[in-house]
């Protein structure tokens, strides 16, 4: 159901007239005209939905075999924050908050745990919501049962670092040469590309292409608990900032 603001207050409640297999619950609406809601998984549908509109499950990048609830979407749908009860959570008696960023083609990146800073120290973390200007994220931490909660808030800028999960920096240096500007070592082993490749995030399995134009390696983000293959490419003799390999 939904209501609309009128000159005298609010309209009468109106049914949305769609159903899923589970109980439709927490919802959020983007400025692009999509309603995001949970029904054990996260779905979206046009808002308000027409007679031919059907709920669309967001897929396995966000949903899992466990429970996903409480979607909170950026006004431009750049990201979505949600609750998940999947294993490995920091909450001692429930799930954590996760975030997924949307790609330019409309697909969603794999959801990642918001980490200890958001999720550790309480029973569970849930119910994310953005301020009307989109600058602040509010969420609840369950501190005791039955349902004793505390409200927290944080600048949305705290989420920006998660768009650079592999140690990327805005001031990435201009590196030349075959080995990222590093002088080859002598007889004593040295750390390779400190703070570029060797960033303290559990890097492994590094390989070069035969022409030294690309470097690939595995990286595991220890805080947010995901692994990806990372690539650095050389363009016009200059190494470009690393990114997830296509």
């Amino acid at each position: 159901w939904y209501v609309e603001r009128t000159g005298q207050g609010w309209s009468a409640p109106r049914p949305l007239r769609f159903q899923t297999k589970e109980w439709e619950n927490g919802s959020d609406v983007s400025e692009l005209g999509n309603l995001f809601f949970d029904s054990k998984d996260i779905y979206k549908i046009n808002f308000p939905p027409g007679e031919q509109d059907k709920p669309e499950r967001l897929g396995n990048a966000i949903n899992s075999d466990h429970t996903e609830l409480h979607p909170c979407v950026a006004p431009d749908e750049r990201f979505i924050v949600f609750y998940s009860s999947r294993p490995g959570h920091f909450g001692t008696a429930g799930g954590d908050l996760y975030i997924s960023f949307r790609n330019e083609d409309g697909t969603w990146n794999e959801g990642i745990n918001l980490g200890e800073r958001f999720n550790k120290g309480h029973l569970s973390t849930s119910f994310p919501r953005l301020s009307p200007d989109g600058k602040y994220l509010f969420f609840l931490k369950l501190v005791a049962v039955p349902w004793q909660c505390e409200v927290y808030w944080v600048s949305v800028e705290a989420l920006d670092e998660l768009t650079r999960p592999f140690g990327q920096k805005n001031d990435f240096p201009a590196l030349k040469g075959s080995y990222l500007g590093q002088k080859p070592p002598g007889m004593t082993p040295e750390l390779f590309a400190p703070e570029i490749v060797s960033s303290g995030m559990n890097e492994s399995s590094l390989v070069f292409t035969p022409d030294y134009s690309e470097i690939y390696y595995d990286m595991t983000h220890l805080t947010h608990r995901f692994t990806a293959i990372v690539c650095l490419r050389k363009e016009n003799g200059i190494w470009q900032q690393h990114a997830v390999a296509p």
Side-chain angles (χ1 to χ4, degrees):
W1 295 74
Y2 73 102
V3 296
E4 293 183 309
R5 187 178 290 278
T6 67
Q8 291 74 40
W10 295 96
S11 68
R14 303 173 184 175
L16 289 174
R17 302 190 186 282
F18 67 84
Q19 289 184 327
T20 59
K21 294 181 180 180
E22 304 290 340
W23 176 37
E24 295 84 24
N25 196 7
S27 61
D28 198 10
V29 180
S30 75
E31 291 182 350
L32 302 184
N34 290 313
L35 170 70
F36 292 76
F37 66 94
D38 67 63
S39 178
K40 190 176 182 295
D41 286 334
I42 308 296
Y43 292 78
K44 78 170 183 177
I45 192 171
N46 290 334
F47 181 80
E51 293 184 0
Q52 303 302 317
D53 291 325
K54 302 295 181 183
E56 174 190 345
R57 183 178 178 274
L58 291 190
N60 294 334
I62 291 175
N63 294 307
S64 70
D65 293 335
H66 301 270
T67 300
E68 279 72 43
L69 302 171
H70 314 148
C72 171
V73 64
D76 59 0
E77 299 185 12
R78 180 175 65 88
F79 64 79
I80 184 170
V81 179
F82 59 96
Y83 165 94
S84 178
S85 66
R86 65 193 67 180
H89 49 72
F90 292 101
T92 58
D96 288 348
L97 290 181
Y98 282 71
I99 189 169
S100 174
F101 292 93
R102 195 180 68 163
N103 298 309
E104 292 183 359
D105 63 3
T107 60
W108 293 92
N109 282 307
E110 190 76 20
I112 57 176
N113 192 300
L114 284 181
E116 296 184 6
R117 184 169 45 168
F118 287 81
N119 293 313
K120 192 173 182 179
H122 293 78
L123 299 179
S124 69
T125 313
S126 59
F127 290 99
R129 276 294 175 266
L130 290 172
S131 59
D133 58 10
K135 294 182 179 181
Y136 300 97
L137 176 71
F138 292 80
F139 57 96
L140 300 185
K141 288 193 174 186
L142 180 64
V143 298
V145 291
W147 290 107
Q148 180 181 342
C149 297
E150 296 174 339
V151 180
Y152 283 73
W153 66 321
V154 66
S155 171
V156 168
E157 293 179 359
L159 305 177
D160 289 342
E161 67 179 51
L162 302 179
T163 67
R164 303 190 300 273
F166 303 105
Q168 295 178 340
K169 301 178 180 179
N170 292 330
D171 57 347
F172 191 78
L175 303 174
K176 299 181 179 180
S178 299
Y179 302 103
L180 299 173
Q182 189 171 4
K183 181 180 178 181
M187 303 298 288
T188 302
E190 298 178 8
L191 189 66
F192 178 66
E195 299 185 7
I196 304 297
V197 173
S198 302
S199 63
M201 291 191 185
N202 194 18
E203 301 85 8
S204 63
S205 306
L206 183 144
V207 295
F208 290 82
T209 56
D211 62 357
Y212 288 90
S213 65
E214 295 177 329
I215 301 173
Y216 292 86
Y217 59 97
D218 292 341
M219 177 177 284
T220 299
H221 199 298
L222 300 178
T223 300
H224 304 292
R225 301 180 180 181
F226 62 94
T227 300
I229 298 175
V230 180
C231 176
L232 292 103
R233 287 190 173 91
K234 192 192 301 181
E235 297 181 4
N236 299 318
I238 304 294
W239 288 99
Q240 305 302 303
Q241 177 146 238
H242 34 22
V244 178

